[in-house]
């Protein structure tokens, strides 16, 4: 039975104006409301609504078709199962929920981590992983021709780790578009809290 708080890997099926339809394991269908994509996107939506009311101008917020594509894999957390709407399953991609137990001590190079674009700078993008203790820096040289936009969820590969403090540049990340580019060798010393549901791993099996 599906329980709220469960971390899952889903694939994008249909993208609508205000929600994304996802496919979960075992044939389950789920819905991602636009308000559950990222906390940054919510801030942008709120600011846009306020600017429309007072007559000021702000740049348009990205549409869901700008943020997702059909067949895309995403890490999500189950929010609720609405029994009144024929067991409608709603999920969230908010980094603070997906990474609720993530600490910088549990990160390691080549680990894949879910986050969202918080802001853009001259040489790259600042990635939020949901908390305030640390963020990531994604250089423009490590992204595809079309860089992610602010508010967009991304799956990043940890390239290096900075000081384990509240430094805003604690993690240097690369976009995880090519999962085959990274290999993580798992052995008996890996702690359970260092692994995350939905994160891809390339493993090397070796004899004892």
């Amino acid at each position: 039975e599906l329980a709220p708080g469960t971390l899952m890997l889903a694939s994008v099926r249909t993208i609508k104006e205000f929600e994304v339809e996802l496919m979960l394991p075992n044939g389950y269908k789920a819905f991602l409301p636009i308000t559950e994509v990222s906390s940054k996107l919510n801030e942008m939506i709120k600011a846009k609504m306020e600017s429309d009311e007072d007559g000021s101008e702000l740049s348009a917020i990205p549409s869901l078709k700008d943020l997702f594509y059909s067949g895309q894999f995403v890490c999500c957390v189950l929010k609720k199962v609405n029994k009144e709407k024929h067991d409608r399953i709603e999920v969230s991609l908010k980094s603070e929920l997906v990474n609720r137990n993530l600490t910088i001590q549990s990160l390691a190079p080549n680990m894949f981590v879910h986050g969202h674009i918080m802001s853009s700078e001259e040489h790259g993008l600042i990635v939020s992983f949901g908390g305030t203790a640390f963020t990531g820096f994604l250089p423009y040289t490590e992204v595809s021709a079309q860089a992610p936009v602010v508010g967009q969820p991304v799956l990043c590969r940890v390239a290096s780790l900075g000081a384990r403090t509240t430094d805003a540049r604690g993690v240097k990340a690369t976009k995880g578009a090519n999962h085959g580019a990274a290999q993580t060798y798992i052995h008996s010393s890996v702690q359970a809290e260092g692994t995350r549901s939905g994160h891809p791993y390339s493993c090397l099996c070796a004899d004892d």
Side-chain angles (χ1 to χ4, degrees):
E1 184 177 349
L2 296 174
T6 302
L7 288 169
M8 309 188 79
L9 184 66
S11 62
V12 175
R13 180 179 182 184
T14 307
I15 306 169
K16 301 179 181 178
E17 185 176 5
F18 296 113
E19 69 177 11
V20 177
E21 184 179 311
L22 305 174
M23 290 303 298
L24 301 177
N26 299 320
Y28 286 103
K29 183 167 62 175
F31 297 89
L32 171 69
I34 192 172
T35 54
E36 293 296 333
V37 172
S38 71
S39 56
K40 184 62 181 180
L41 184 61
N42 284 357
E43 291 178 12
M44 297 167 66
I45 293 173
K46 182 179 179 180
K48 179 62 176 175
M49 293 175 63
E50 292 175 349
S51 71
D52 290 343
E53 291 176 357
D54 60 26
S56 59
E57 292 188 7
L58 281 180
S59 58
I61 61 172
S63 70
L64 291 179
K65 290 187 177 180
D66 294 326
L67 306 181
F68 300 97
Y69 60 87
S70 180
Q72 178 183 356
F73 286 99
V74 295
C75 300
C76 63
V77 61
L78 194 149
K79 285 277 289 186
K80 62 181 179 181
V81 179
N82 194 329
K83 297 293 185 180
E84 297 178 357
K85 294 186 177 181
H86 307 287
D87 292 338
R88 174 187 166 97
I89 301 172
E90 292 190 4
V91 299
S92 176
L93 262 65
K94 287 184 177 179
S95 302
E96 57 266 34
L97 298 180
V98 175
N99 298 329
R100 62 186 181 275
N101 297 319
L102 183 69
T103 64
I104 196 168
Q105 287 77 17
S106 64
L107 294 176
N110 290 333
M111 179 177 175
F112 283 82
V113 187
H114 171 82
H116 68 268
I117 304 301
M118 186 168 62
S119 63
S120 60
E121 294 191 354
E122 182 179 358
H123 298 292
L125 303 163
I126 302 299
V127 181
S128 171
F129 301 113
T132 58
F134 62 94
T135 56
F137 182 69
L138 180 59
Y140 287 126
T141 55
E142 297 291 343
V143 300
S144 57
Q146 184 175 358
V149 298
V150 174
Q152 183 173 1
V154 290
L155 185 64
C156 297
R157 180 177 65 87
V158 177
S160 61
L161 296 169
R164 294 172 181 264
T165 64
T166 56
D167 183 1
R169 301 296 180 84
V171 178
K172 180 181 178 181
T174 60
K175 191 177 180 184
N178 182 7
H179 296 165
Q183 287 188 329
T184 300
Y185 295 95
I186 301 177
H187 50 82
S188 59
S189 64
V190 173
Q191 299 299 313
E193 59 269 21
T195 60
R196 305 289 297 156
S197 175
H199 290 175
Y201 287 93
S202 176
C203 303
L204 176 66
C205 296
D207 295 333
D208 294 335

